[in-house]
Amino acid sequence: MNDATSANLLGRESSPYLLQHKDNPVHWMAWGPDAFARAKREGKAILLSVGYAACHWCHVMAHESFEDAETAALMNRLFVNVKVDREERPDVDAIYQNALALLGEHGGWPLTMFLTPEGEPFWGGTYFPPEDRYGRPGFPRVLERISAIYATEGEKVRSNVDALKTALAQLGENRSGERRIAPAIVERVAQHYFGHVDREHGGLSGAPKFPQCAVFELLWRQARRSKDADMKNAVLLTLDRMCDGGIYDHLGGGFARYSTDATWLVPHFEKMLYDNAQLVDLLASAWQETKNPLYAERVAETVEWLLREMRVEAGNAAAYAGTLDADSEGEEGKFYVWTADEIDRLLGTEAALFKRAYDVAPAGNWEGHTILNRRCTLKRLDAAGEAKLAAARAVLFHEREKRIRPGRDDKVLADWNGLMIAALARAAMVFEKPAWLAAARAAFAFVCEHMTEAGRLKHSWCGGRLAHPATLDDHVCLARAALMLYQTTGDTAYLAKAEAWADTIEAHYRDAARGGYFMSADDVTDVILRHKTVHDHATPSGNGLLVHVFALLFHLTGKPVYRERAEALIAAFSGELERNALAMPVLMTGQFLLEDAVQVAVTGPNADALFRAAWSAPQPNIVIQRIAETAALPDGHPARGKAASGGSAAAFVCRGPVCSLPLTDPAALAAELAR
């Protein structure tokens, strides 16, 4: 018999994470109406398990519980079991993570939630061990207890459901306020974050440590705005320590998701596309200001990793996979760590120098092995010494390539690719790397050609199969990517695409009653509510980043409607500052872009040198527009109607309604932008 009551149905799915579980003895079903109908028909609660392919503790719980025949039999007898890939359904994950928080539990993955047949949560947790330990009850005991409560204590279950549904709805009731966040409030938020920066190791104090790019982007922009050198240096310290720490892969490039300790030494070894996109962006900004070669090296190495290990091809286009796993051969970090004996054998007479530089000792620095890092040798060697270290890294990288690799989740996610496309395009201009811009354009072409169905964007593509409706974040991240490509190429097709996605956002995601935008479209029917938030997490919130998109559209098109939408969006959430001012740094940096933009218009023939000079400027709120000889600046642009004498190439720098005289010398343009 191969029906839903006696089979694992995940083999039908395309998600690499779901396919990891297709051979479990658990009778898993995918999220959707079939699972809800079966739970209703059988009078059982739903056991919802949410995770992702690169998640270490998801693997642990799978090995301990989902692959265990006795535990699986208990799950099959008592529940309808549903698996969700949180990367495929971020809207579903967000709802139940919020429900877990309302139960007083810390969120994370694996997420284990118990639902009614209507999808309503009534209890949950994260990882559960196979027997009582870590101060947590064993999973079999949890299963039996929750099943018994559901069967015999209906009033208690209903009470929990009603309380959670009410609280979840209230979370989505954003507090509106002023159309502008007062500078004093932004300064207060930035000072709060600054006060929590670890003055020795960077990052926000304590452990674990995440990159927190949105926070440090706010600190970077506020430091420039207020001329606060200490705040700027806190950002640079954080970047320095991450770039030299074990969170960075010193052989293959790319940053891991977070560090388990306070010194950036021991990562959870999974690499996420979204982290690396945001770090490339922040490092490029820091390099423009400091010209620190460390930042240029890390950007170049990370992009090299991206192009080497994360490309997913279809036709003539290539986008980027979502994650690399933490585990290989069943062990976390095994692919990445070394022993002193291995280093000695491979490097011979050069081993001593390398071991001093990269913290390699006989006892190791983590569980008897070494995580390569340069935290103890922050000062660089002379050119000859660094060349020797580079040669040694190449030897070790070649040897590492022979190891069994961590798994790769091949899903192409629209939102994460949008973040990377924008970062890659900007870095291409900052570092003058045309190949990177070509890669960004190819990834954008992939999304446009392969991730649209019946005129609507989809969220996920894997193995030629499209899945799941696009979220607000998908449209916002890709619109921002399109606007970055427009600024870097001058191709108006990108601007038109961004405007089209802005129209879709307005038509299908806007909350007409309370303002702001829902994560799910108005025609998504398999969620118990439409989640809405402005809070940033590991990725920027869709609502916060949408302020950036509207601001850019206003500056690039001159259309007042986009400024109105940006201000209305700020107003929809500015009342949240009274409840949680610290959770919305991206909204605040969006207001910077709306109010403090430095607009550069490059016009006329043979303007490449001026264009490059504009992109070299350390201006975080810069908006650059290259106008073809036969075109004109949009209505409302402060430089419209201006031109250099004789029709030669010229640039105009505009702050608010005031523009410079036409600048024809790249050095003069650079000086004006540095003013």
Side-chain angles (χ1 to χ4, degrees), residues 139-184:
F139 193 46
R141 188 156 70 89
V142 169
L143 296 173
E144 290 174 335
R145 178 64 179 146
I146 295 300
S147 177
I149 289 172
Y150 185 75
T152 63
E153 300 182 42
E155 289 186 8
K156 183 176 182 179
V157 170
R158 192 70 249 166
S159 175
N160 272 20
V161 163
D162 291 343
L164 285 172
K165 285 183 70 177
T166 298
L168 286 169
Q170 289 173 345
L171 283 178
E173 293 177 355
N174 48 294
R175 296 184 183 181
S176 60
E178 300 299 321
R179 296 172 72 87
R180 180 175 186 265
I181 300 170

Side-chain angles (χ1 to χ4, degrees), residues 182-492:
I185 294 175
V186 178
E187 172 69 19
R188 190 160 65 244
V189 170
Q191 287 294 339
H192 176 91
Y193 281 128
F194 175 56
H196 285 79
V197 172
D198 182 331
R199 295 299 196 270
E200 181 179 1
H201 302 294
L204 299 185
S205 296
K209 271 188 178 168
F210 289 80
Q212 299 274 24
C213 290
V215 169
F216 286 96
E217 181 71 31
L218 175 64
L219 291 180
W220 184 252
R221 295 191 186 209
Q222 181 62 21
R224 280 191 63 91
R225 199 184 211 195
S226 60
K227 298 180 174 59
D228 189 328
D230 290 337
M231 188 178 289
K232 182 182 87 169
N233 289 333
V235 179
L236 297 177
L237 172 67
T238 298
L239 292 176
D240 288 346
R241 295 297 184 263
M242 282 198 291
C243 285
D244 281 328
I247 192 174
Y248 184 73
D249 180 357
H250 291 264
L251 300 185
F255 291 84
R257 188 163 76 94
Y258 68 95
S259 175
T260 62
D261 62 350
T263 66
W264 303 110
L265 172 62
V266 182
H268 260 321
F269 290 86
E270 66 264 39
K271 294 180 184 177
M272 321 298 284
L273 187 66
Y274 60 77
D275 283 322
N276 285 281
Q278 293 173 91
L279 284 164
V280 163
D281 227 7
L282 189 53
L283 285 165
S285 292
W287 182 84
Q288 286 178 304
E289 179 87 13
T290 66
K291 297 300 187 285
N292 185 340
L294 175 64
Y295 303 154
E297 289 169 12
R298 293 296 178 260
V299 170
E301 291 162 352
T302 298
V303 173
E304 184 180 349
W305 159 76
L306 174 79
L307 300 179
R308 182 184 65 243
E309 298 187 24
M310 303 302 283
R311 280 170 57 90
V312 177
E313 297 182 358
N316 295 321
Y320 301 103
T323 66
L324 291 182
D325 208 326
D327 297 10
S328 54
E329 300 181 74
E331 294 183 28
E332 185 182 13
K334 184 173 183 179
F335 181 78
Y336 297 100
V337 298
W338 298 85
T339 65
D341 288 344
E342 287 176 310
I343 302 292
D344 288 333
R345 174 175 59 82
L346 291 164
L347 299 184
T349 57
E350 301 296 334
L353 175 67
F354 185 86
K355 288 194 294 184
R356 283 197 303 274
Y358 283 93
D359 191 26
V360 182
N365 56 25
W366 179 66
E367 298 184 357
H369 292 80
T370 291
I371 300 169
L372 299 179
N373 71 91
R374 294 195 72 169
R375 299 175 311 132
C376 300
T377 55
L378 299 177
K379 186 176 180 180
R380 290 317 192 240
L381 307 180
D382 60 19
E386 289 297 326
K388 288 182 179 180
L389 292 178
R393 290 197 305 271
V395 170
L396 296 181
F397 175 78
H398 179 73
E399 181 67 19
R400 196 178 79 174
E401 288 292 279
K402 301 174 186 177
R403 296 176 177 177
I404 295 174
R405 301 186 62 81
R408 185 178 85 159
D409 190 318
D410 288 332
K411 291 194 309 294
V412 175
L413 299 173
D415 51 349
W416 296 3
N417 270 266
L419 291 172
M420 183 54 83
I421 291 165
L424 197 55
R426 178 164 174 259
M429 302 307 295
V430 169
F431 295 104
E432 299 187 26
K433 299 284 188 180
W436 298 359
L437 182 57
R441 298 185 75 165
F444 191 84
F446 183 108
V447 172
C448 293
E449 293 169 15
H450 299 289
M451 297 187 68
T452 301
E453 186 175 79
R456 293 283 293 278
L457 183 66
K458 290 286 191 175
H459 174 64
S460 174
W461 181 99
C462 191
R465 293 173 61 184
L466 276 175
H468 309 298
T471 65
L472 171 67
D473 297 30
D474 293 321
H475 289 91
V476 172
C477 290
L478 284 168
R480 176 171 167 268
L483 293 170
M484 183 58 70
L485 287 170
Y486 171 59
Q487 292 180 85
T488 55
T489 68
D491 186 341
T492 56

Side-chain angles (χ1 to χ4, degrees), residues 504-522:
T504 299
I505 290 168
E506 202 67 16
H508 292 287
Y509 295 85
R510 187 168 71 91
D511 182 352
R514 302 188 65 90
Y517 297 82
F518 292 111
M519 189 175 192
S520 301
D522 54 3

Side-chain angles (χ1 to χ4, degrees), residues 62-85:
H63 296 322
E64 292 175 342
S65 295
F66 305 151
E67 295 171 8
D68 178 73
E70 290 186 12
T71 303
L74 192 60
M75 293 170 66
N76 295 336
R77 179 167 59 85
L78 299 178
F79 298 96
V80 171
N81 302 290
V82 175
K83 256 291 175 200
V84 166
D85 181 341

Side-chain angles (χ1 to χ4, degrees), residues 86-136:
R86 67 107 172 175
E87 295 166 359
E88 277 198 327
R89 292 304 304 262
D91 51 347
V92 172
D93 179 60
I95 292 167
Y96 297 107
Q97 292 286 353
N98 280 343
L100 186 63
L102 290 167
L103 289 167
E105 296 282 336
H106 290 292
W109 301 277
L111 175 65
T112 307
M113 290 295 292
F114 296 92
L115 320 176
T116 70
E118 291 72 36
E120 304 160 321
F122 62 91
W123 196 79
T126 52
Y127 163 79
F128 289 100
E131 64 276 325
D132 295 3
R133 63 174 185 234
Y134 310 131
R136 299 183 68 81

Side-chain angles (χ1 to χ4, degrees), residues 479 482-483 492-506 549-550 553-554 556-559 561-562 565:
L483 293 170
T492 56
Y494 292 120
L495 180 60
K497 195 68 177 175
E499 289 204 83
W501 278 326
D503 289 343
T504 299
I505 290 168
E506 202 67 16
V549 169
F550 286 151
L553 283 169
F554 168 66
L556 293 169
T557 69
K559 296 177 182 177
V561 65
Y562 293 122
R565 289 181 188 175

